[in-house]
Structures are given as C-alpha cells and as structure tokens.
Amino acid sequence: MQRVVEGRARITVRQNAFYNPKMKGLRDISVLFLRAMGAKKYSVLDSTAATGIRGIRYRLEAGAGKVTLLDINKGTLAGIKGNMKTNKVKGSVLNQSIQKFCNTTEDTFQVIDLDPFGTAAPYIYDLMKVSEDGTVMMATCTDTAVLCGAHPQACYKTYGAVPAHNELCHEAATRILIGFIAKIASQFNFGLDMKLSVSNLHYIRVFFVLRHGAKEAVESVKRTGFGSFCNQCRSFSYSFGLAPKISGRCSNCGSENLIFGPLWLGNLHDKKVLGKMAALQPDDIDPDAKRLIGRINSEMDTPFFYSVPKLTRQLGIGAVSKRKVIEKLAGRYAVSETHFDLDGIKTDAPISEVIKAIKGA
Ligand SMILES: C[S@@+](CC[C@H](N)C(=O)[O-])C[C@H]1O[C@@H](n2cnc3c(N)ncnc32)[C@H](O)[C@@H]1O
C-alpha cells in the first residue's frame, strides 16, 4: 500500500490499482483545463478510475458536481471507495466495463475522462451514448508506437489509418486519433470542437467539446483529410476530404510522396482556453507540465512542421540553431516552435524560404 498526495487529493494506492506518478503532470493539465473551461457543478464520468484520482481531483480542484467512477477491475472498487471517503467526495462507484455501463445507463455526462491502458479507440463509440451537446471529453492513448508507425498494420486495424513513420509522426499520430474520434462522433451527430491536444512522453491526450447537430458533424468530418511527405527533400502538404486528389510526386523535388491518414486537419487547440490555462497556473503544478502548456500556447496551430536537423542533414550542411532560423523567417512569415518536436519549426513559409533561412543562419 502506498499513500500519495497529489493536488488536493490524498490517495491510497492499494495492490491491484494502477497509479503512475509520472502522469501527475498530465492530471495537473486536465485539472487546469477544466478550471479554464469554467463550468461549475458539472457531472463527471471517470470511466477508467483505477484509484479514482481523476474524478476526485476534478471534484476537489475543478468545480465538478456529481462524480461517477467506473472500473472493470473488481479489485479497484474498495480502494476507490476508500479514497472517496478520505477526500470527502460523494458519488457512484461501479465495477463495470465502459461498454456495459454505456449500454445500460440512462445518464449522460457533462465531462468524460477516458484513460485506458493503450488505445482509447475501442471505447469511443460507447462513450458517445452517454454524451450530450456540450460534453467535454478528455481521452488518452499510450499506444504511441502504433500511432507513430512502428507497427503500421496495428494502426490500419485500430484506427483505419496509414501512419507517418518520420519526423512528423507525433503530430500525425495526434491527428489520426482526432480524425478517428471525429468519424465515430459524426455517426452520433456530434462534431468536435477541439480545445487542446498534447503529445508528450509515451502518451497523446486530446481535449474536445462535442457539439450536437448534423451540420456540426458534417463540418467536423470535412476537416479531415490526408497528409503527404517527401522523404527526399522533407517537404509536406495536406489535402482535405475523404477522397482528395493527391499527387504521388513531391511538388518541390518530384520524388515519390508518402501519403498518410486519414487524419484531422483542423485546429488542435483553442487559444482562448490555453491563454486562461497559462494565466491560472497554480504554484503546485508540475514544472514540466507548466513548460509544456507554455510551448503549446506559443505554437502555430497549422498542420505539420520542418525539422531543422533533418533539413541540414538533407542539405549536407552542419548543424544550425533553430532559434536563428526562426529569427530569419520572423517578420516575413508566421513562424513558431512546436511541442511535437523540439527541433521543429511551424511556418507558413514555403520550403525554399526555410532552406534559405537555414543556409543564412
Ligand atoms: C491507466 S489506468 C487509469 C489510471 C487513472 N486514470 C490515473 O490517472 O491514475 C486504466 C484503468 O482502466 C481500467 N479499465 C480497462 N479497461 C476498462 C473497461 N473496458 N472499462 C472500464 N475500465 C477499464 C483498468 O482496470 C485500469 O484500472
């Protein structure tokens, strides 16, 4: 048995219950996100509760009302109940699978947290049944190797998508996950209103609001499409649509393009929410999480980026400072760093201008 204090919660981790201290930063981000969203007394479904720490923290620190905690593992039940009692949080604790719960309850929830082992994909369909217009959903995947293309067949099978196994992989992985969710959500007449997307360590977590309506659902699906990437010159492009015309040849150097997707090509973040999160940050937030939110807040919200070291290697020149390349482009083009790759720059400059900036840096 292990006792931990995280945020305002005091948690006992019993045998059989999963608790990863390395995910404290992500739990801090989730609390901060809900605070920035500003809702009060909302109903929460912590659908993969383990110790119950998320549901409990949302109640103690982020204004949640009725809390429902679910876990398929019977061995977690007594521990979740004990932790709720210690923290004086009232709510329902159920030993059920997401699948069974969502197909039997008549309740819907204003906030849903999904944090399974590995992929979130098999749970999205059922969770749509307990969602309503305005439901805030937060979903984590830890199968990043699959989404990033280390096991492409697993990505075809789980997400119905071709991954990008190159420097764009983490951003493409995040967009494949969102595109997958948008497709399932649209079957329930929900569109996605993206609020925040985080790719860090071994996980991807996406935060969005479900907007109900046929128009919203169609608009959401229209924001998906495909990416193309040239392994020779490292340029990329993207095309919206379910069956867009995509050239098999790179428009910059004529080499063969790698096509990946389908994936989300819309915005990943809501800058208003990010700004509020940055302004709200309490002192006890994990310092790495604080830095991560800062980085995301300052990144351009457009698809894909250039990796400076990959381009210098391609050009056969020595290392150059990313900061200097950014300085060369700034003023004439929009340009920023990206949390998806510490060596990457996002910009609206064409690749020819990026190369000029690298050569002049
Ligand atoms: C990664 S842990 C959750 C960790 C927790 N959210 C935290 O932040 O500490 C995943 C939990 O989901 C539970 N789980 C797995 N499949 C499930 C399912 N189909 N329905 C409900 N719970 C499930 C597991 O028993 C496990 O306790």
Side-chain angles (χ1 to χ4, degrees):
M1 229 188 283
Q2 183 199 357
R3 289 200 166 77
V4 288
V5 177
E6 197 187 283
R8 287 203 210 142
R10 284 177 297 141
I11 298 291
T12 301
V13 184
R14 300 195 187 197
Q15 226 184 354
N16 294 335
F18 179 88
Y19 171 79
N20 184 354
K22 287 194 188 129
M23 296 297 255
K24 174 191 179 283
L26 186 56
R27 285 186 286 270
D28 286 350
I29 288 175
S30 304
V31 167
L32 204 58
F33 167 76
L34 288 175
R35 288 183 59 205
M37 291 295 287
K40 291 272 175 257
K41 300 275 172 214
Y42 49 86
S43 54
V44 179
L45 174 65
D46 181 353
S47 70
T48 40
T51 59
I53 189 156
R54 287 177 186 265
I56 291 171
R57 288 194 64 187
Y58 300 156
R59 177 83 174 89
L60 296 179
E61 300 171 50
K66 187 172 173 256
V67 184
T68 302
L69 299 102
L70 207 66
D71 203 292
I72 196 171
N73 176 357
K74 201 171 179 183
T76 62
L77 216 64
I80 299 171
K81 285 185 177 164
N83 286 330
M84 299 213 15
K85 199 168 165 202
T86 309
N87 291 284
K88 300 190 174 60
V89 171
K90 291 206 174 88
S92 318
V93 182
L94 300 163
N95 169 222
Q96 270 183 21
S97 68
I98 291 171
Q99 295 88 330
K100 179 151 187 211
F101 174 75
C102 295
N103 284 296
T104 47
T105 185
E106 295 198 346
D107 292 340
T108 56
F109 297 87
Q110 288 159 312
V111 169
I112 297 176
D113 193 297
L114 173 61
D115 180 35
F117 296 126
T119 176
Y123 311 108
I124 300 296
Y125 185 87
D126 284 318
L127 287 172
M128 290 298 150
K129 299 173 191 167
V130 295
S131 299
E132 58 188 38
D133 184 29
T135 288
V136 174
M137 198 177 277
M138 301 175 280
T140 314
C141 280
T142 53
D143 60 335
T144 36
V146 169
L147 280 159
C148 284
H151 315 289
Q153 299 207 5
C155 194
Y156 309 157
K157 169 177 78 70
T158 306
Y159 298 97
V162 177
H165 197 36
N166 50 51
E167 60 261 38
L168 303 184
C169 69
H170 288 103
E171 182 169 346
T174 305
R175 292 181 179 279
I176 286 173
L177 171 63
I178 301 169
F180 173 87
I181 297 173
K183 190 171 154 198
I184 304 282
S186 72
Q187 295 169 26
F188 290 82
N189 263 346
F190 285 122
L192 301 194
D193 178 0
M194 286 309 302
K195 296 293 172 193
L196 176 63
S197 311
V198 182
S199 162
N200 189 36
L201 305 173
H202 65 296
Y203 68 79
I204 293 168
R205 184 151 164 100
V206 292
F207 303 68
F208 54 89
V209 176
L210 291 169
R211 304 283 180 206
H212 195 257
K215 190 170 149 262
E216 285 76 1
V218 171
E219 285 306 314
S220 191
V221 172
K222 277 187 178 168
R223 300 173 88 189
T224 61
F226 291 82
S228 36
F229 177 76
C230 175
N231 232 349
Q232 283 304 311
C233 74
R234 317 214 81 75
S235 72
F236 61 79
S237 61
Y238 50 89
S239 317
F240 286 88
L242 294 175
K245 274 191 193 156
I246 307 171
S247 169
R249 294 276 151 204
C250 169
S251 59
N252 183 51
C253 74
S255 303
E256 195 183 348
N257 264 336
L258 303 170
I259 313 293
F260 54 99
L263 38 66
W264 179 258
L265 292 170
N267 65 304
L268 297 177
H269 319 296
D270 177 335
K271 290 282 177 173
K272 264 196 216 149
V273 174
L274 270 165
K276 279 189 196 157
M277 287 174 76
L280 269 174
Q281 285 189 13
D283 292 338
D284 56 355
I285 189 173
D286 178 272
D288 288 340
K290 202 172 190 164
R291 267 192 295 278
L292 186 59
I293 288 301
R295 237 180 269 136
I296 294 174
N297 197 15
S298 59
E299 89 183 354
M300 277 175 72
D301 200 353
T302 51
F304 309 127
F305 57 87
Y306 297 101
S307 157
V308 173
K310 293 272 186 191
L311 278 176
T312 52
R313 213 164 304 145
Q314 179 64 31
L315 295 165
I317 59 176
V320 300
S321 134
K322 178 185 72 178
R323 180 112 310 275
K324 283 203 178 135
V325 179
I326 290 177
E327 278 166 20
K328 290 264 170 210
L329 291 168
R332 290 178 302 135
Y333 297 100
V335 58
S336 79
E337 302 185 55
T338 172
H339 89 285
F340 287 111
D341 181 345
L342 296 184
D343 292 325
I345 55 169
K346 281 188 179 265
T347 179
D348 57 3
I351 189 166
S352 53
E353 289 295 314
V354 177
I355 288 171
K356 258 192 230 162
I358 284 177
K359 286 182 173 166

